[in-house]
């Protein structure tokens, strides 16, 4: 993994199209044309006991949340008191998404995983996605400079087409925004990403928010 790059939105061009900083404000830098990934570096607000519980319960939530009824909506889908810290964080993240992108609702997915969901590198046909892995390994992406022209072709031997050292990864608790293919003026430049490889016994609790 390469070292973290932290910059502000002062107009500087990030060298590899991504930013990471300990302030939530870094997420607003996703609006910069040259930024494909913005990462808010923070510790996980959800304990590992909760992650283990969610995996044990095979927690799987898919829901549209109206921002005007956010608190009730989250409470309805995650009513167990043991998920209180996660509810608070989902409220924060969904509210941030709504403020950033000016939307009235967000699509929420919470998934407890014991095996990779999307193990091959791919791009998503969406404008932008927020991702946070509360426990376990976070999603991985390849900066554009490491994306080989053959990498995304169906059936390609991806393992031979990218440098291992070029793979970037979100840490547990960190919040990332990934631009997708349908972000305005972004065709062909969606973030190339994948689920992290997992060993037997490993667990992840992944949250995504779509607009
Ligand atoms: Fe994806």
């Amino acid at each position: 993994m390469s070292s973290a790059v932290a910059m502000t939105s002062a107009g500087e061009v990030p060298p590899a199209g991504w930013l990471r900083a300990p302030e939530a404000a870094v997420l607003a830098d996703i609006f910069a044309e040259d930024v494909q990934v913005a990462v808010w570096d923070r510790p996980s607000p959800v304990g590992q006991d909760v992650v283990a519980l969610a995996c044990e319960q095979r927690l799987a939530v898919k829901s549209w949340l109206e921002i005007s009824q956010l608190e009730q909506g989250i409470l309805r889908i995650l009513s167990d008191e043991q998920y209180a810290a996660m509810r608070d964080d989902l409220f924060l993240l969904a509210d941030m998404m709504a403020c950033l992108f000016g939307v009235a609702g967000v699509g929420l997915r919470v998934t407890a995983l014991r095996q990779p969901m999307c193990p091959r590198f791919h791009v998503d046909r969406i404008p932008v996605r927020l991702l946070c892995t509360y426990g376990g390994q976070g999603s991985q992406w390849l900066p554009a400079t490491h994306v080989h022209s053959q990498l995304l072709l169906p059936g390609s031997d991806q393992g031979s087409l990218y440098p291992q050292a070029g793979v970037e990864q979100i840490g547990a608790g960190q919040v990332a925004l990934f631009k997708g293919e349908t972000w305005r003026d972004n065709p062909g430049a969606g973030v190339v990403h994948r689920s992290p490889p997992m060993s037997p016994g490993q667990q992840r609790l992944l949250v995504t928010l779509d607009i």
Side-chain angles (χ1 to χ4, degrees):
M1 311 281 160
S2 61
S3 58
V5 178
M7 284 193 187
T8 68
S9 52
E12 295 173 86
V13 177
W18 67 277
L19 302 166
R20 181 160 57 207
E23 299 83 26
V26 71
L27 297 178
D29 287 341
I30 198 71
F31 287 101
E33 194 180 324
D34 299 305
V35 174
Q36 298 295 320
V37 175
V39 181
W40 172 21
D41 182 12
R42 61 167 198 170
S44 179
V46 173
Q48 295 314 292
D49 53 334
V50 177
V51 173
L53 174 72
C55 290
E56 194 183 306
Q57 295 183 340
R58 296 175 188 269
L59 188 63
V61 169
K62 187 178 178 186
S63 181
W64 181 258
L65 297 172
E66 295 289 340
I67 300 302
S68 61
Q69 299 168 17
L70 195 52
E71 203 163 346
Q72 305 93 304
I74 294 172
L75 186 60
R76 193 175 62 245
I77 54 176
L78 280 174
S79 56
D80 190 325
E81 213 29 56
Q82 295 182 91
Y83 291 129
M86 189 157 67
R87 280 201 303 269
D88 290 348
D89 196 54
L90 290 177
F91 183 89
L92 173 77
L93 297 181
D95 195 47
M96 283 171 53
M97 279 292 270
C99 289
L100 264 179
F101 300 109
V103 292
V106 292
L108 167 71
R109 266 186 187 222
V110 183
T111 319
L113 292 162
R114 286 180 162 143
Q115 56 189 19
M117 191 161 54
C118 305
R120 278 179 66 83
F121 279 112
H122 64 281
V123 293
D124 292 331
R125 287 198 55 77
I126 53 171
V128 65
R129 173 168 289 162
L130 179 147
L131 303 99
C132 177
T133 305
Y134 287 128
Q137 297 201 56
S139 304
Q140 297 181 333
W141 80 92
L142 271 182
T145 46
H146 295 308
V147 177
H148 189 283
S149 59
Q150 311 278 309
L151 184 75
L152 301 181
L153 295 182
S156 66
D157 175 19
Q158 290 195 333
S160 64
L161 294 174
Y162 65 89
Q164 282 288 341
V167 178
E168 301 291 347
Q169 185 163 32
I170 308 169
Q174 294 180 346
V175 179
L177 287 174
F178 282 7
K179 271 182 189 165
E181 286 288 287
T182 61
W183 178 271
R184 61 175 185 266
D185 303 327
N186 208 42
V191 177
V192 174
H193 63 284
R194 69 176 180 187
S195 303
M198 290 176 77
S199 311
Q202 284 188 326
Q203 300 177 330
R204 298 177 69 203
L205 180 55
L206 171 68
V207 166
T208 62
L209 290 172
D210 290 339
I211 56 172

